[in-house]
Amino acid sequence: MRWVIAIAGWSCACSAIDAAPPVSFEESIRPLLRAHCFACHGEDGMLEGKLDVRLVRHLQRGGDSGAAVVAGHRDQSPLYLRLKAGEMP
């Protein structure tokens, strides 16, 4: 659940998040994605749904369902919504 909150903070422009130091993709988000998502979305050429989560630009480009994240709008970001709903590991 901690990584869902971190991803939410990364894609959210909430006032509470604005007061906190900015979340770094490389330091905070990428390690979580590596641990939980790379096996199906990035390692060894495996790209379920043609989604590569290894880089921000790939998340913004998205896969079969479109962009995985919408910067500043977590409630419009499919990645956040699927994690929140428990649909992804």
Side-chain angles (χ1 to χ4, degrees):
M1 187 63 162
R2 185 186 86 179
W3 68 288
V4 173
I5 293 167
I7 289 173
W10 174 61
S11 65
C12 177
C14 303
S15 60
I17 300 299
D18 292 340
V23 175
S24 163
F25 178 82
E26 286 299 322
E27 292 177 14
S28 301
I29 305 303
R30 194 166 194 268
L32 296 170
L33 294 175
R34 178 183 297 122
H36 299 280
C37 308
F38 276 23
C40 294
H41 299 285
E43 278 183 354
D44 302 324
M46 175 67 128
L47 296 177
E48 296 262 343
K50 296 183 184 171
L51 177 62
D52 187 340
V53 300
R54 293 176 293 179
L55 300 171
V56 173
R57 70 175 182 261
H58 297 315
L59 288 166
Q60 292 170 331
R61 181 181 61 224
D64 289 342
S65 300
V69 296
V70 179
H73 301 281
R74 72 175 178 191
D75 292 330
Q76 295 174 16
S77 297
L79 176 61
Y80 172 75
L81 296 173
R82 295 199 66 188
L83 291 169
K84 184 178 174 184
E87 295 175 8
M88 291 287 112

